[in-house]
Amino acid sequence: MGRMTRRFPEGFVWGSATAALQIEGAAHEDGRGDSIWDVFCREHPERIFEGATPEVACDHYHRYLEDVELMRRFGHNGYRLSLSWPRLFPNGDAAANPKGFDFYDRLFDALAAAGVAPNVTLYHWDLPQALGARGGWEDPDTVERFADYAEACFRRFGDRVSLWATLNEPSWSTLHGYLTGIHPPGRTEPRAAVLASWHLLKAHARAARIGHEVVPGSRIGIALNLSPIHPATDSDADRKAATIADGILNRWFLEPVLLGRLPEDTVALYESCGILPSMGASDLEGGLVDFLGVNYYFPNHASADAGETAFALNNSGRKEDASAFALAGLFRFVRNPKGRYTDWAWEIDPAGLEQLIVRVHGLRPGLPVYVTENGIGLQDRVVDGEVQDDARILFVREHLEAVGRALDQGANVRGYYMWALVDNFSWVNGFKKRYGFFHVDHATQARTPKKSASWFRDVALANGLTDNRAT
Ligand code: BGP
């Protein structure tokens, strides 16, 4: 086994993460309704790598027992998943779909039998199309519909789920849904983006209040995509650009859920642009989280040299395809000349995870933190029945070491969910970008454990890292 180099706290959660739309498939089965993503992929195949769709995904709806068995065999004691809103409420209104609820009953029972504790996200981007058609997150009524949906889930599953996340990455979903237009509903309107993000924050607070009422003792959090934003140079202008970007992308979401308030500088910025939504004094009430889910992939480097607004996401995995993110007059993200990058141009920087966790600890000392997503997209292949994903082992090891350093500084990290359990539908990247511990052959749905799955099993069972590097 090797000598233990890092022991994790007792009870640490070792698992992986998925989202309903990315793995379930069975898009038209047992009464499920369309989500905005189903429709977007059907209507805009040119926007998704190779025109992929989530119709079948990993067929988890039918293969969930096999997937739970993989978790058990490979030492997972936790699993982060999301519920499909359009499977439970196909039209986004009050009419529930009993077969959808039955599916999650079966899944939770299987997880319990396998000794795997669920961490459940209510909303991971699959808004019912019926609500999308009426204005989606720009419409205040969507907040009401979300509150009803959340209440139904708390009531039905609250006896078996004790960790809940209201939303997954509201920053990423509003940014790409309403500003860059890369995700559905494909809007490119700053006012819409700020309004949608505000409604998501309200929806979070509403659901948290309801959950605490309906299931006393439940622990309710949120999963935020956080990214340290460094100034590209030491200049005052770049420092200011980094602060602005940090306000828009991180603090706008982080401060309400950790401190119950919005960041003043970002409020002032939106006000000066005339895009600040009208807000009620009690809208954020009840939204303080019991734990924070940190989703971390890469840091950013901000330059003040931002003449034009520009957005592009590398969704091909070809190194030469650039990404771009710039808001005219505010900031532009630039490549780190010293950085290590994945094929999809995401910088690999484990220290960023340590910095983020320590930052959260500084804002809410001792708050339980779970790394709810962290992983690397690779072009994994099965060769002679094996997948040698040494790059993933190195990535996860380095990030777990970063978690260890955050623990040394007093942060209360309680678990790590690697993204992802299985290779899945990677949104606009289709199926080429593989993240799983388990390789999925999308023609046959065969699951093959990658080398990283066995490596992670040893880490989980030892509850720590050893100097046996396995790579
Ligand atoms: C996060 C999402 C996940 C997941 C991951 C990897 O933003 O919450 O659903 O997909 O990123 O991103 P991608 O699949 O776009 O590479």
Side-chain angles (χ1 to χ4, degrees), residues 22 124 168-169 297 346 373 419 426-427 429 433 435:
Q22 297 180 272
H124 199 127
N168 178 69
E169 301 191 353
Y297 291 89
W346 288 15
E373 284 184 33
W419 184 268
S426 182
W427 311 109
N429 313 302
K433 198 175 186 184
Y435 278 99

Side-chain angles (χ1 to χ4, degrees), residues 42 57 86 96 106-107 176 323 395 413 441 450:
R42 278 204 299 271
R106 294 195 297 277
L107 176 58
H176 289 307
S323 288
F395 183 97
V413 190
D441 177 332
K450 300 180 190 174

